[in-house]
């Protein structure tokens, strides 16, 4: 079956960052089936995450970054904030995902994060958010 692509967007270059290999693979497969290109990295494989995540993003120059805020939620959120406010990435569009939105918001307050667990409806919301974020750039 040919990949599905949005009629209004070109193929997007995406960076997908997550702590779970199965979620990373599932999300990337979903996005690729919809015509987008993914570069992926396990956050757990980046011991110097403050530097390595930013370098990874800059190396791949994505249209949108999909960043997963996992446990421990507060420190994962803090890392995201450091990365998003670095001078080189301040204008980089991000879509934030999490395995448990309720727990994330208990730790950091209200967010626009998308909870993903593999259901099609969740993946469609992430896809729509990614394409919307790319349009704003």
């Amino acid at each position: 079956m040919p990949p599905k692509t949005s009629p209004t967007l070109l193929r997007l270059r995406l960076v997908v960052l997550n702590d779970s290999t199965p979620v990373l693979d599932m999300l990337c497969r979903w996005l690729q089936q919809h015509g987008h290109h993914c570069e992926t990295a396990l956050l757990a494989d980046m011991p110097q995450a403050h530097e390595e995540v930013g370098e990874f993003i800059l190396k791949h120059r994505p249209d949108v970054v999909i960043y997963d805020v996992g446990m421990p939620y507060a420190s994962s959120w803090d890392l995201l904030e450091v990365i998003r406010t670095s001078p080189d990435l301040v204008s980089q569009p991000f879509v934030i995902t999490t395995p448990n939105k309720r727990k994330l918001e208990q730790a950091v307050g209200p967010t626009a994060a998308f909870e993903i667990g593999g259901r099609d409806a969740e993946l469609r919301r992430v896809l729509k958010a990614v394409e919307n974020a790319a349009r704003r750039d």
Side-chain angles (χ1 to χ4, degrees):
M1 175 189 331
K4 301 173 191 173
T5 57
S6 172
T8 58
L9 287 178
L10 298 174
R11 178 178 163 114
L12 296 176
R13 292 179 326 274
L14 307 172
V15 161
V16 184
L17 303 163
N18 201 293
D19 275 327
S20 165
T21 300
V23 173
L24 194 63
D25 292 344
M26 173 213 41
L27 186 54
C28 194
R29 263 193 322 275
W30 173 267
L31 294 164
Q32 288 172 334
Q33 288 172 350
H34 289 82
H36 304 302
H37 174 77
C38 296
E39 294 293 340
T40 63
L42 280 171
L43 291 167
D45 289 346
M46 297 180 166
Q48 302 298 320
H50 284 85
E51 296 85 24
E52 292 178 81
V53 171
E55 289 170 5
F56 187 83
I57 294 168
L58 290 171
K59 174 183 173 187
H60 294 289
R61 303 183 157 273
D63 298 303
V64 179
V65 174
I66 302 170
Y67 179 92
D68 189 71
V69 178
M71 290 178 36
Y73 294 106
S75 63
S76 186
W77 185 262
D78 289 345
L79 173 61
L80 170 64
E81 290 303 305
V82 167
I83 293 164
R84 288 176 68 178
T85 58
S86 73
D88 292 333
L89 296 173
V90 74
S91 64
Q92 174 66 58
F94 279 78
V95 169
I96 311 307
T97 61
T98 186
N100 190 324
K101 185 172 172 98
R102 183 181 58 78
K103 291 217 185 244
L104 170 62
E105 291 183 343
Q106 285 174 345
V108 302
T111 72
F114 294 90
E115 184 169 298
I116 57 171
R119 293 181 290 278
D120 280 353
E122 295 165 343
L123 295 170
R124 281 193 300 273
R125 282 192 292 273
V126 170
L127 177 63
K128 184 175 180 166
V130 165
E131 291 177 346
N132 286 340
R135 284 186 188 108
R136 284 187 220 128
D137 189 29

